[in-house]
Amino acid sequence: DDRTDQPVDVLAMRPGLVLAIETGWQPGSDYRGGNWIWVYDPALDGLFYYAHNNAVAVTPGQWVGAGDRLAEVGRSGFNAYK
């Protein structure tokens, strides 16, 4: 966290299919990982997990390219940094 409180985009590392998202996390929730995204990359036959997001910008079933915006990074920092 660079402590600027400015939005920072989370970008896809590889192209792939958005398999699942979570958008129900709220500050203070016992649920760990925040708002997350799972992307399947068929070329690598691998899954990429993007967690601790403030706002998710993709939907399940959506194809994303490398470098596409997936989300905005979370800034609560309560669990990661005191």
Side-chain angles (χ1 to χ4, degrees), residues 16-22 36-42 46-48 50 58-64 70:
L17 179 67
V18 177
L19 293 181
I21 65 171
E22 170 60 50
W36 48 255
I37 304 162
W38 280 103
V39 176
Y40 174 68
D41 176 356
L47 292 169
F48 288 87
Y50 302 85
V58 294
T59 57
Q62 181 177 341
W63 182 265
V64 295
L70 301 176

